[in-house]
Amino acid sequence: MPKRLEQYHKRPVIILQPFDSAVDTLEKELAQKIIDEIEFQERVMTKKEREKIQKAAKLIIRAAKKMKKLMEDRPVWDYKALADAQARLYKQPHLLAREAAEILGIDPLEHFQEEIIELARLFPKVIKPEKTYGDRWYKFLKKKGISLDEINPEKRKKSGVWKSQSSLSSEARELLGLLKGLKIAGYTDASVDGLRSELNGRIDELMKNPAGNLELIGLYTVVLRLVEKGDFEKAEVFLRMF
C-alpha cells in the first residue's frame, strides 16, 4: 500500500450521531450551561428556577427536532436568506423569528404552538409573543380557549386591574366599539376629540370613588393616553387582553 494511503487509513474515523440522538444528549448540557451562565453573572439559582431552565431546555430540543423536519430538502437560497436576516436583526430576536418564518413559509403559531405557550408560561416576563405577533397572539389564545391569566397567573395576583375580569371585559368590549367607530370616521380631529372628552368624563365620574374603581380608572386612563398619542391600533390590542 502506498505510504500516503497507509497514513490516510490510520486516521481516526469520526462517526456522526443521528440528529435526534445528538440533540437528546445536548439537552442536559444546554440546561446546565444556561444555569452556569446565570449563576456566573447574577446569583445562585433556586431549585424551582433550575427546574424551569430544565423544562425550557426540553422545549427547545423538541422545537429543534420539529425545525429539522421542516428544513429538510430546503433550497440553498433559503439558508442564505436566513443568514442575511440573522446578521441584520441580531439585536432584535423577536423580529428575526418573524422574518425567518416569512422566509421559510412557516407559521410558528401553527408548528410550535405548544412550545411557545409553555415557554410563555415559564417565563412571562421574558417570553412575550404579543410583541412578535401583536393582535394575532390574542386571537390565537382565544381560539385555543386559553386565557391570559393561564399564561401569567401572577399578574392577576399582583395587579388590581385583573381582579374584576368580567366587568373589565364588558367595559373593554364597549371601548373597542368606540374605537371602531373612530376608525370608520377616519380618525378625524372632531371624532378623536369626542372620544377624549368621553373618556375624561368617565374618569372624572369614577374618581368620585377612586378606591372602589381602581381597575376601571386604570383601563380608561391607559386607553385615553394611547388615543392622545394616536396609538389607536395599540389601544385595540390592549383592550383585547381583557
Side-chain angles (χ1 to χ4, degrees), residues 11 22 26 29 58 69 72 75 87 106 122 139 179 200 225:
R11 290 177 183 174
L26 285 173
E29 185 181 343
K58 284 182 183 292
K69 290 181 180 178
E72 286 174 351
I106 291 171
L122 284 170
K139 289 179 180 177
L179 284 171
N200 274 313
R225 292 291 295 141

Side-chain angles (χ1 to χ4, degrees), residues 18-209:
F19 177 83
D20 284 356
S21 60
V23 293
D24 283 340
T25 59
L26 285 173
E27 185 182 303
K28 288 183 180 179
E29 185 181 343
L30 174 63
Q32 192 56 52
K33 281 190 174 182
I34 295 172
I35 291 168
D36 289 345
E37 184 67 22
I38 293 171
E39 292 190 330
F40 177 74
Q41 294 196 20
E42 296 182 17
R43 57 186 167 72
V44 175
M45 299 180 72
T46 64
K47 182 182 177 182
K48 188 175 180 181
E49 288 172 331
R50 285 169 172 263
E51 288 173 351
K52 279 188 174 184
I53 296 295
Q54 287 159 357
K55 286 178 183 177
K58 284 182 183 292
L59 293 167
I60 291 167
I61 295 301
R62 197 167 76 193
K65 289 180 179 179
K66 288 183 179 180
M67 179 58 80
K68 185 254 182 183
K69 290 181 180 178
L70 291 169
M71 291 296 291
E72 286 174 351
D73 303 320
R74 287 276 176 178
V76 68
W77 51 80
D78 276 357
Y79 294 98
K80 185 180 183 305
L82 285 173
D84 290 345
Q86 187 174 12
R88 191 166 19 90
L89 300 170
Y90 71 99
K91 288 186 177 180
Q92 299 168 292
H94 60 290
L95 294 180
L96 176 60
R98 184 168 59 193
E99 186 153 337
E102 290 175 0
I103 290 168
L104 299 171
I106 291 171
D107 183 355
L109 286 182
E110 178 184 344
H111 296 285
F112 305 104
Q113 55 184 247
E114 294 171 4
E115 289 78 17
I116 293 171
I117 290 170
E118 287 306 313
L119 285 169
R121 281 175 174 154
L122 284 170
F123 307 104
K125 292 181 181 179
V126 179
I127 307 296
K128 297 182 178 181
E130 64 273 16
K131 284 193 173 182
T132 301
Y133 304 108
D135 191 30
R136 190 163 169 257
W137 172 244
Y138 301 112
K139 289 179 180 177
F140 168 75
L141 291 181
K142 187 176 180 180
K143 184 178 177 181
K144 299 291 289 185
I146 299 170
S147 70
L148 286 169
D149 286 352
E150 289 179 66
I151 298 292
N152 188 2
E154 290 301 312
K155 190 170 185 179
R156 187 183 185 98
K157 294 176 186 176
K158 293 177 182 178
S159 174
V161 175
W162 291 81
K163 286 199 298 187
S164 304
Q165 189 68 25
S166 59
S167 65
L168 287 179
S169 295
S170 174
E171 294 292 332
R173 283 195 298 273
E174 185 183 350
L175 289 175
L176 274 170
L178 293 176
L179 284 171
K180 285 180 181 177
L182 205 64
K183 187 184 291 187
I184 292 168
Y187 300 116
T188 61
D189 290 344
S191 63
V192 173
D193 286 343
L195 181 57
R196 286 174 57 192
S197 177
E198 173 72 18
L199 291 170
N200 274 313
R202 294 190 186 192
I203 291 170
D204 288 343
E205 187 65 27
L206 292 167
M207 285 297 292
K208 292 177 181 178
N209 179 21

